[in-house]
Structures are given as C-alpha cells and as structure tokens.
Amino acid sequence: MNAVRFDSNTHSYFLGSDRLPSVTRILRIAGITKSFDGIDPVVLENARRRGERIHALCERIDKTG
C-alpha cells in the first residue's frame, strides 16, 4: 500500500506518484469558496499558519493513535 507523502517544497501531497488535490482545491470544487482574491494578506497568512498547526497535530495523532 502506498503512503501519502507531503512535499514541503511545493506544498503538495502525493499518493504513490499521483498528486492529490489541495484543501483549497477541494473547497473550490465543492463550491464552498471560489477565490481568496480581496482577502487581506495578513488574514490569509494567519489562516495558513493555523492550517500548518492543525496539519501537524493531525499528523501527530495519526502516528500515535
């Protein structure tokens, strides 16, 4: 079984050699959000940092749980 791999240089996820869609792309496909244009860059940066922390916590839970 292939494990999900994260490439921090491109901020991309892969399953084997297949690139997986980003959370942002999934949200757009689902119609939850269309664009982040016009949102204050400080707000986006705070959201990005929060997402990184959540990702790290989920990864830690997956590895220990």
Side-chain angles (χ1 to χ4, degrees):
M1 175 174 23
N2 290 326
V4 174
R5 178 178 56 85
F6 178 68
D7 181 338
S8 60
N9 293 325
T10 62
H11 198 84
S12 302
Y13 293 88
F14 294 86
L15 182 58
S17 61
D18 297 325
R19 186 176 179 166
L20 301 174
S22 67
V23 172
T24 302
R25 177 146 175 77
I26 292 169
L27 291 174
R28 285 186 182 146
I29 291 169
I32 294 171
T33 186
K34 291 186 169 85
S35 172
F36 293 114
D37 294 343
I39 298 176
D40 184 329
V42 173
V43 172
L44 291 176
E45 179 61 18
N46 288 337
R48 184 191 68 77
R49 288 181 183 169
R50 184 174 54 251
E52 281 184 341
R53 290 191 305 269
I54 291 169
H55 172 81
L57 178 59
C58 290
E59 185 175 31
R60 191 176 315 154
I61 290 168
D62 287 345
K63 287 181 179 179
T64 61

